[in-house]
Amino acid sequence: MSRSHIQLTGAEANLRRLLLDVAANINPKCPSELRFTGGWVRDKLLGINSHDVDVAINDMTGLQFGLKMKEYLDQAENAEKYTSDDKSRSGNQAVAALHKIEANPEKSKHLETITTKIFGLDVDLVNLRKETYSEDSRNPQMEFGTPEEDALRRDATINAMFYNLRTEEVEDCTKRGFEDLEEGIIRTPLEPHQTFKDDPLRVLRLIRFASRFDYKLDPFAEKSMDDESIRQALKLKISRERVGIEVEKMLKGPHPKKAMSLIDRLGLYRTVFIDPTKDHGFDPETGRWHVCYDIADRLQKSHESSTYQDLDLDSKDARYNMWILCASVPWTDAPHPLPTKAGGKLPPPVATSVIRNGLLAPTKICDVVRAAMLNHQEIIKAKDDFIKTKSDLRGQQPLDISGSPGGRDTLGMLIRKWGSTWRSQVAFALMLEQWRYHDTGKDVLKEYTNFLSHIRSIKVGESYTFKPLIDGKTFSHMLDTPPGPWMKDALDVLMSWQLANPSATVVQPAVDAIHASGTVPTKDGGSGKIQDLEPKPNTTDLDAAFKTNSTDTSGKKQTSSNGEPLTTRLTFHFLNLTIRPLFAQTPQNHHVTPAGRNPRKPDSKDTTTNLLPKNHASTTSNPYKIETDAEASLARPWKDPSNAHALSLLSWVTRSLNTKRTEIFWPLLIPPILALIDDVDVTHKARGCALLRNLLVATPPLLLERTGLAEVFEEALRPCLSYLPSLTPQHDGCLLLGEAYPAFFRLAVVRFPTNASDTNGTMNMGNGRTKQELETYILTTHLHAHILPSLSHISLPNTAYLDLASLLLRQLAVCIRHLRQATVAQLPYLVPVLAEILEGTGTLGVLGAPGMLLETTKALEEVIANAWVRVGRWRAVVLKGLCGAWISLEEAGEDVGAEAPRDEDERRRCRDRELLKTHLKICTQMLVRAVEASSSGGSAASHDAADGVETKDDVDIRAECRKLGEADGRVRGLFEDMS
């Protein structure tokens, strides 16, 4: 280190020449004495380049000199004398705008200064000063001073040397600067106690310089720093902004551990890292704080270690975050503040307030501290669970099995929750555990190294940036549910599945098919559409919309660790976390236990899992209690329009069921479905019936038998079938019956289990009846108890309830289809009713209700198809009805004439009349073939003989039809296709 000579760079040499020329131009006879001061001199002596240059002027303010310099450079011939490192720019171009710093006694700036940028150097023009301090402020009184006075006012001797621009020599006015710089000592120019008392910020500045250069503190200075009066002066006289600036420079310097160690050793922790705005009633424990900064220093210096890389400590921001969090550790156990008012927002953790208010740290840093404080327990648990799993498995199974502590979905979703600063938060958890367990022998660093290495190996470190395979709008459409608050958690389920299946891709045709098959959600969350009568394949299976490959993104063959299908994950999520809470307070059917079984069937071996809470509401306490409107609202939050999405999601769940999911989620499915069916509102009852039908489509009969719920379902559905006019409006009746009947039919089909070898349902069920006989009994009872009485109730054929009549006739056709050959026994009840409707409707009925007659004809077709062996005996009644309908149809055609339909309803009726004509012919042809087949003998004749019925009628049905056509020309068209 040369004590007398400093080698200037090109920019510095240009600056020196410019400043000397300006001084000579101002006063040629006695130019100002100019010096480079402070940190620039120190750094140049240490061989460190510095871009910050303070220029001290002996006889004028920085502002005065700066303005003179501007005047000088405004002259073209002067500006051309100087060039910067960029040869294309002249001197006046190399000088940036001059920035004036006003005289401000409150901020220690009693003399005006200038700051500017010259030749790429940041230059401050100031005057030589001396300072006088008051007792209550660090802001001194300033006035012009000598070089010695200016040097003695500085914080450290190594910062008190000058470089004289005229003599090009270094001036050490304190006589200790060179020596302290060589020996690595941080010393105050004057007596330390008074120096710190005058300006307590110098305590932190000296700590910063000691840590930056890895120097020792002068023992006398260190003793004064440890004085309680100095600590109090630092706490009271120094703004928190200045404290924060010094701490930031320390922690971003090359030796942050040394700065922390000095703060710790000098008892300054509670002075520096405090919240000055509030006493939180907590005294941070710093006796073991050294453990934190020791492990932080170890992490920062282990450049080649995997932990260094996994914590991204190559990043300056990550290193600074780690040291700020290191400073926060002693505040971790401070009680979390309570809201200032009931229901108010929860304040941030105390440590966050300390960093925000004590250091005036930016929001970005405070957010890191807040996240670390809120998430550290979850991080520690995730790490502990992984370490335990790794120890238990001992390499015998993969660590990344879906749903396990090491699964991609488990850790990926946690990292998404922790956010982009998760690595800093993990570093905090590591330091915290080291702080707590440093003397227990627990190898905390090894555990976190393994944990971080596993995260790297399964490639979820950046999962917080991952995007779902589909957007929320598409997802909403796929679930046939309007967008709403439910989507965030549901998309998280999708993302969890996506993480477990990293090779997953979208199968666009499957997505398009789901779009095409779905119905447009209405405002109330429903589809506004009555379900089809027969079960159809699931058209909302999300599993078909996503393709997973047998290898992952790295080319490694996947194991079975991808877990449950997406549909199963979503089903559990919606049932357990969205739907169940809304139905938890709704009084439940007292014939169903929380496990989803019938308590009246104690011998049933119920293996379903009880997923419902023990305090689930039940009607057993008082089944006769009448609820007030307020009680009903509280007990049925799912009826609130804001929760309409829950019913749409429940609908999707039931449409997406398969037998496996039905078995798993049975206890979660039954309560909401029965609650809907038992509700007083027709719309909700209808939806409950539709959901029950969807459930039964995927319900294995053995499950119904085991839980004993077939009778419960039947009891719940039966009252729905009595919603008829005039007590019930036709629209409501159609809505409810249109869902209740299909549910009832489906229940009849699946309620009796079938043995695998019993393909025809003829095996004895143990109660003297076969499965087919039991189904027939249920359907026959239903036919006579509900369908036929309902048709009679609305006074067919002269009815004002045409839509309801059409619906009932459709259900009658379905019932006949399920009865199959057993329809024969019902011919005396069915044929007269259907024939009477066809014959008695008349011309006006054909004109106004061709759809009802069409449904009647279709029901009659089902009768003929399933009871063909005996229908011949009823041919006269059938033909009478068919002819009556045909005649009415012909007469209606004459009335309508060639006039074009006037509206859509009229066009629909015209189409129905054409279809009716076609089906009347089809029905007639079916009757002819049935009579001919039954008259030909065979098994049918034998069956008739056994019943004592005439075995062969020897009738010519075709001849009879021709005679009818000849007798009445109006029906000739009905039989014209017969040969």
Side-chain angles (χ1 to χ4, degrees), residues 850 853-854 857-858 861 882 885-886 889-890 910-926 929 973-978:
L853 292 177
L854 179 61
T857 307
K858 290 179 179 179
E861 290 172 8
L882 292 173
W886 187 268
L889 190 60
E890 290 293 305
C910 287
R911 290 193 296 269
D912 285 347
R913 286 195 288 272
E914 291 301 317
L915 281 174
L916 174 59
K917 182 179 290 188
T918 299
H919 275 274
L920 287 173
K921 287 185 177 182
I922 292 173
C923 192
T924 302
Q925 293 167 1
M926 289 178 65
R929 289 195 293 270
L974 181 62
F975 308 116
E976 63 184 2
D977 293 335
M978 296 182 187

Side-chain angles (χ1 to χ4, degrees), residues 33 116 126 184-185 197 207 325 363 365 371 398 403 417 422 506 670 687 719 739-740 744 765 814 857 965 975:
E33 195 76 43
T116 186
V126 299
I185 296 176
K197 188 174 181 182
I207 291 175
L325 291 169
T363 301
I365 299 299
K417 177 184 176 184
W422 72 270
V506 175
I670 302 305
R687 171 166 284 185
E739 301 291 2
F744 198 97
M765 300 289 293
V814 175
T857 307
F975 308 116

Side-chain angles (χ1 to χ4, degrees), residues 287-483:
R288 293 170 290 142
W289 187 39
H290 65 91
V291 175
C292 298
Y293 52 75
D294 283 345
I295 190 65
D297 184 63
R298 181 178 173 185
L299 290 172
Q300 180 166 311
K301 291 180 178 178
S302 56
H303 300 281
E304 302 302 322
S305 73
S306 62
T307 310
Y308 179 90
Q309 301 298 328
D310 291 335
L311 291 176
D312 194 28
L313 293 179
D314 275 331
S315 162
K316 291 182 179 179
D317 289 342
R319 291 198 297 271
Y320 180 59
N321 289 345
M322 179 178 69
W323 285 107
I324 282 288
L325 291 169
C326 176
S328 306
V329 168
W331 288 98
T332 304
D333 295 328
H336 200 111
L338 299 175
T340 54
K341 59 181 180 180
K345 185 179 179 181
L346 195 67
V350 173
T352 308
S353 300
V354 167
I355 300 302
R356 174 182 290 121
N357 301 323
L359 303 181
L360 295 187
T363 301
K364 180 179 179 182
I365 299 299
C366 295
D367 288 344
V368 174
V369 176
R370 180 179 183 276
M373 291 295 162
L374 295 178
N375 296 330
H376 72 270
Q377 291 180 339
E378 192 171 49
I379 292 172
I380 292 171
K381 183 179 185 303
K383 182 268 302 179
D384 286 344
D385 290 346
F386 169 76
I387 296 300
K388 183 179 184 302
T389 300
K390 183 177 181 180
S391 175
D392 292 344
L393 294 178
R394 298 182 180 180
Q396 297 178 4
Q397 294 182 28
L399 290 172
D400 60 345
I401 296 176
S402 176
S404 72
R408 279 179 53 88
D409 49 350
T410 303
L411 293 175
M413 291 306 294
L414 285 173
I415 288 172
R416 286 176 66 82
K417 177 184 176 184
W418 300 334
S420 60
T421 62
W422 72 270
R423 292 179 174 89
S424 295
Q425 298 174 48
V426 170
F428 172 79
L430 191 162
M431 291 184 288
L432 178 63
E433 284 209 90
Q434 189 76 8
W435 181 60
R436 288 174 172 170
Y437 304 117
H438 75 285
D439 55 356
T440 65
K442 182 178 182 180
D443 195 340
V444 174
L445 181 57
K446 181 180 179 181
E447 290 184 355
Y448 278 90
T449 297
N450 290 334
F451 182 56
L452 289 165
S453 296
H454 178 71
I455 291 175
R456 172 169 31 88
S457 70
I458 61 176
K459 300 180 180 180
V460 295
E462 305 304 314
S463 62
Y464 59 89
T465 65
F466 293 176
K467 302 296 182 184
L469 289 172
I470 54 175
D471 58 40
K473 183 177 180 181
T474 302
F475 192 50
S476 170
H477 201 126
M478 293 175 76
L479 299 184
D480 197 16
T481 302

Side-chain angles (χ1 to χ4, degrees), residues 430-631:
L430 191 162
M431 291 184 288
L432 178 63
E433 284 209 90
Q434 189 76 8
W435 181 60
R436 288 174 172 170
Y437 304 117
H438 75 285
D439 55 356
T440 65
K442 182 178 182 180
D443 195 340
V444 174
L445 181 57
K446 181 180 179 181
E447 290 184 355
Y448 278 90
T449 297
N450 290 334
F451 182 56
L452 289 165
S453 296
H454 178 71
I455 291 175
R456 172 169 31 88
S457 70
I458 61 176
K459 300 180 180 180
V460 295
E462 305 304 314
S463 62
Y464 59 89
T465 65
F466 293 176
K467 302 296 182 184
L469 289 172
I470 54 175
D471 58 40
K473 183 177 180 181
T474 302
F475 192 50
S476 170
H477 201 126
M478 293 175 76
L479 299 184
D480 197 16
T481 302
W486 63 271
M487 287 182 59
K488 180 183 180 300
D489 291 337
L491 285 171
D492 281 346
V493 176
L494 171 60
M495 177 54 68
S496 175
W497 177 86
Q498 187 175 323
L499 285 164
N501 297 271
S503 63
T505 55
V506 175
V507 181
Q508 194 58 44
V511 174
D512 295 339
I514 292 175
H515 278 220
S517 66
T519 55
V520 179
T522 58
K523 290 183 179 180
D524 65 352
S527 65
K529 172 182 175 183
I530 294 179
Q531 297 283 344
D532 294 329
L533 298 180
E534 290 301 306
K536 290 187 176 181
N538 176 15
T539 57
T540 59
D541 188 0
L542 292 182
D543 299 329
F546 300 95
K547 179 181 179 181
T548 55
N549 299 322
S550 58
T551 56
D552 62 20
T553 53
S554 64
K556 178 182 175 183
K557 187 173 181 181
Q558 284 189 319
T559 64
S560 59
S561 62
N562 57 358
E564 291 289 350
L566 175 58
T567 303
T568 301
R569 291 187 180 219
L570 284 169
T571 297
F572 177 73
H573 170 77
F574 291 142
L575 286 175
N576 195 45
L577 300 179
T578 304
I579 296 167
R580 188 179 78 175
L582 294 176
F583 282 85
Q585 299 305 316
T586 303
Q588 299 299 311
N589 190 305
H590 59 280
H591 295 312
V592 181
T593 69
R597 56 171 290 183
N598 187 348
R600 295 174 295 183
K601 191 176 175 64
D603 58 332
S604 63
K605 297 179 180 179
D606 183 17
T607 59
T608 54
T609 305
N610 184 1
L611 301 177
L612 297 180
K614 293 182 178 180
N615 62 347
H616 204 75
S618 172
T619 57
T620 54
S621 58
N622 185 0
Y624 305 106
K625 183 175 185 257
I626 300 177
E627 295 177 319
T628 64
D629 291 341
E631 290 173 332

